[in-house]
Amino acid sequence: MLTEHAKVMKALAAAGEIAGRKKLQKMIYIAKKLDFPFYEKFDFHFYGPYSEELMCRIEELCALGFLHEVKEKKSGYVQYRYTLTEAGEQFLRHYDWEMPGLAECMQAMNGQNARFLELVSTVLYFEHLSKDEVKEKIAVVKSKQRYTEDEIEEAYAYIEALRSRCNKGACV
């Protein structure tokens, strides 16, 4: 019944703690693009790929007591931290399926900052375009972020590194 919710919980459990809604959104989107079985629909938003469906799942999981959400004030903005609760861990024990490679990928992404993951997810969102077209898109839709040529190249290299670790959701 709550299979899609359990997948999100599994990702959060693998990461340990995720600081920021934007970062959580980008991590799930990138995992989806790496062929992990996440089925939330994502649209392009101000901060890159965003899923209203995923946000609803997060809110439901918090309401059910499976996720702990901490709201922190940080120099002029609010940041949310997410962790799995004990009840969430118990709930996950009822799901005996595995997502090989997910933990490694989630931990790797969690080590990155939200700004970089925003760039990586934006590159992946436009991956059907040529590299030059992606760079042009980023210059337009992410002009306020002022991503450099080097950062974009780093994002491409990071995507390849993640893909080489995880092939169709299974670590190789």
Side-chain angles (χ1 to χ4, degrees):
M1 182 173 133
L2 295 171
T3 304
E4 298 309 313
H5 291 73
K7 289 177 186 176
V8 172
M9 291 169 60
K10 187 102 170 149
L12 257 159
E17 175 184 77
I18 297 176
R21 288 179 172 173
K22 179 169 75 167
K23 187 172 189 174
L24 175 59
Q25 287 271 339
K26 302 319 165 220
M27 289 172 69
I28 297 295
Y29 179 76
I30 293 166
K32 178 179 177 167
K33 293 298 281 184
L34 293 172
D35 293 327
F36 286 100
F38 293 101
Y39 298 108
E40 289 81 7
K41 181 181 184 289
F42 284 82
D43 294 309
F44 200 78
H45 227 242
F46 185 71
Y47 296 110
Y50 173 82
S51 172
E52 183 67 36
E53 220 178 324
L54 176 58
M55 200 61 241
C56 287
R57 284 197 212 296
I58 297 297
E59 289 171 1
E60 290 166 353
L61 289 168
C62 289
L64 289 167
F66 293 157
L67 288 185
H68 184 64
E69 177 185 73
V70 175
K71 185 176 176 179
E72 302 172 325
K73 289 200 178 201
K74 294 242 186 193
S75 56
Y77 70 97
V78 173
Q79 182 178 47
Y80 295 84
R81 291 187 174 275
Y82 295 95
T83 54
L84 211 55
T85 64
E86 174 129 359
E89 290 172 12
Q90 289 175 4
F91 176 79
L92 268 184
R93 289 187 197 119
H94 296 287
Y95 287 86
D96 61 353
W97 41 260
E98 292 294 319
M99 284 196 268
L102 180 67
E104 181 182 9
C105 289
M106 292 301 288
Q107 289 164 10
M109 287 188 282
N110 206 18
Q112 301 294 327
N113 64 46
R115 181 179 183 276
F116 181 67
L117 293 177
E118 181 179 339
L119 175 59
V120 169
S121 63
T122 300
V123 167
L124 285 168
Y125 192 85
F126 294 114
E127 74 179 337
H128 61 281
L129 302 173
S130 73
K131 196 173 193 178
D132 287 336
E133 289 172 315
V134 170
K135 289 177 181 180
E136 289 173 22
K137 279 276 191 200
I138 289 169
V140 172
V141 300
K142 296 289 173 195
S143 60
K144 289 184 181 179
Q145 290 284 19
R146 299 175 194 213
Y147 289 114
T148 66
E149 189 84 20
D150 286 345
E151 287 175 308
I152 294 170
E153 288 300 326
E154 185 182 344
Y156 272 101
Y158 187 73
I159 291 165
E160 286 312 307
L162 284 176
R163 282 189 169 140
S164 71
R165 282 189 215 163
C166 304
N167 180 17
K168 299 247 185 236
C171 238
V172 289

